[in-house]
Amino acid sequence: MHNQNNKCHHNNTSKIVNNTASDTIYTCPMHPEIRQLGPGFCKICGMTLEPEKVSSVLEADHELIDMNRRFWIAVFLSLPLLIMNMSYHFLDEKWLHKLIMHPFFNWVQFVLSTPVVLWCGLPFFKRAWSSIQYRSLNMFTLIALGVGVAYGYSVVAMLMSHVLIEWLNKGKTIEVYFEPAAVITTLVLLGQVLELKARSRTNKAIRQLIALVPDIATVIHSNGMEQKIPLSEVQVGDILRVRPGEKVPVDGIVLTGESSVDQSIITGESVPLEKNVGDTVIGGTINGTGSFTMQSERIGMDTMLSQIVEMVAKAQRTRAPIQRLADVVSAYFVPAVIVIAMITAIIWYILGPQPKAGYALLTSVAVLIIACPCALGLATPISIMVGTGRGAKDGILIKNAEALELFENIDTLIVDKTGTLTEGKPRLMEIISVNGLDESKILMFSASLEHSSEHPLAEAIVKGAQEKGIVLKECKNFSSITGKGIKGIIEEKNIAFGNAAMMTSLDIDISSIQSKADAFRQQGHTAMFLSIDKRLAGIVTVADNIKPGTKEAINSLQREGIKIIMLTGDNKVTAQAVAKTLNIDEIKAEVLPDLKHSFVIELQEKGFKVAMAGDGINDAPALTQANVGIAMGTGADVAIESAGITLMSGDLKGILKARKLSSATMTNIRQNLFLAFVYNVLAIPIAAGVLYPFLGLFLNPMIASGAMALSSVSVILNSLRLSKIKL
């Protein structure tokens, strides 16, 4: 029992839960539509499924353990086969030749190879059968077919050798291929082990994020006593103590004390941020040298860190448009390979040297084994997984793979002004009186009216009045006129406060101070007019400072050939002042929310590939319409939901990083596809024996199986390079 209300703490999921395998949803990285309870394999591609939600701890991978056990048993049984058969070819020992050529030796090979093929290789046959059932032929179909043909032919040759000798018109003996069947199975198992180990590293970034959450929190009871409790017992409203060097346990607000907090792992900001009373703190960030108390506001899956992890995990399961190319090729790939293997066997049986049946069998098996549709399938999703994880480490959250793919081709960037180019925290700047009215009176009327408003500038005026010690008055009959301003009754006077259009609509002449208002706007201020009983009373101005680093980011984007357009609801003069400071050539000012959306459509119809960066509720339609929507993590939730990319720091430099990440990821995907295509295009003809007539080269199926395993691993290792790129 603890906290100010002495309420009981229940075990909620404040820390991301490490579910047991039986109650965890597993999915396929290549086919995210495949979902099931507990581990298994994909019914489409045969790939081992992965848990949808990543644990902070690298838990035991039962699939890897099983494959590893099967691999080492296969090595133990197939190695003697390999040594004896290799000795036959390279050692000129008569006794050895006599032993190996003896019919009894076939039984030795049968005994050693059968457990390898039928038990160690059982997962491959299960997946192959599943692929036939679901009419989705895949890599395991080819492996099972190749190994099964070699093993089955050898069993028949051993048990019914006299029939085959007569049919094939051969001498006293007939070759068996237990050794290739066993060694191929062993090498494919090795490939699976290497692939599973490499894939386990693709979620490293998410695990690092989850690991940020502390296990315990210090709660302060209503009697002032402090107690350490498991994080899972923290509830909304609890008062918590955060000491120097500790991690902030949950999201909340500072109640007492002050400190600097390192938020770099969440937002990518390298400089710790000062936190004072009333400031928000994020769970998982690291406190500096100060100490403070905080009130918990968001716990469990509602914390920003949990939402980041969830967003990254979802993005990793989305499919980039470029994946469709691999899907189309893969759909025809396996049937084509089977046909090529059959044609290869026929050609070798008709035109090949003796033993014709042996060469026909080995070349067709080599074709089946060496083909690797898995490398094609892995080319895109593995890069997306690693790329989105890498972005998360720098505070760049990718909502879907499509945004990551499209961003490198963007040629036009639309930026909202307030909260995107500027800090989004306007401050009261100037108060100008007309007709001798006291400035404090002008501010009192303005702030009292704005106190009922939800406009972003209202907070600046109200805060400025409070700082000056001005007492606000009650406002009656308050009303807001969209795009113009607000009005109401204060102290029995009709008060109106807004832009020039507001004054015009009330038939109030502002020509006498229009030039003064324009002068403020040219300095980047937003100037608003106050009228009392339909008589002009004064001007109040507020200004929103440009974010540090914004000008540098804009210049860098322009050097990359991106057209920058500033879109704002602010007046034209103020917008031009900001645009001039930032070297932005094209601006659209005094734009209403619905017209932002229309403007994006207009540019797209002209053939531009448009990205939109914004942070407000009014930006949401345009963010959704843009080819790539970019939300500031410091902005409204609806904007973040509408965007494909979120910059947690709200810094425009994040756009440069996101673009670099997009380019690096897409380059990596193209490299993977190139590796996979080239491998298959070259490997299959060589396996079919195309070089034999010219160079006498013949590809042993055992070498083919090793090459196939390495092709998938090479794609995964190439993808993992993305985790090392500097953004």
Side-chain angles (χ1 to χ4, degrees), residues 332-394:
Y332 297 99
F333 185 82
V334 175
V337 169
I338 294 172
V339 171
I340 292 170
M342 293 171 63
I343 293 171
T344 299
I346 293 169
I347 292 174
W348 275 90
Y349 188 74
I350 295 172
L351 303 177
Q354 292 294 341
K356 291 178 180 289
Y359 277 112
L361 179 69
L362 290 177
T363 50
S364 59
V365 168
V367 168
L368 291 170
I369 295 298
I370 205 166
C372 191
C374 194
L376 279 173
L378 284 170
T380 298
I382 295 295
S383 292
I384 295 295
M385 289 177 72
V386 180
T388 51
R390 176 65 188 89
K393 290 177 69 174
D394 265 44

Side-chain angles (χ1 to χ4, degrees), residues 493-544:
K493 293 180 173 63
N494 289 304
I495 309 297
F497 187 60
N499 57 22
M502 180 75 168
M503 297 297 109
T504 301
S505 68
L506 298 173
D507 295 324
I508 298 173
D509 183 18
I510 59 171
S511 59
S512 61
I513 58 169
Q514 184 68 61
S515 59
K516 192 169 285 189
D518 287 341
F520 283 124
R521 291 184 185 119
Q522 287 168 0
Q523 298 173 36
H525 293 208
T526 296
M528 292 163 284
F529 302 93
L530 177 75
S531 72
I532 302 175
D533 290 332
K534 291 196 173 184
R535 291 183 60 192
L536 187 64
I539 300 175
V540 177
T541 77
V542 297
D544 190 5

Side-chain angles (χ1 to χ4, degrees), residues 304-338:
M304 181 180 290
L305 184 60
S306 293
Q307 289 175 353
I308 289 172
V309 169
E310 182 67 17
M311 187 183 293
V312 174
K314 283 182 178 178
Q316 289 182 340
R317 296 192 295 272
T318 58
R319 295 164 70 81
I322 198 172
Q323 175 72 23
R324 296 178 195 133
L325 172 63
D327 290 344
V328 170
V329 173
S330 297
Y332 297 99
F333 185 82
V334 175
V337 169
I338 294 172

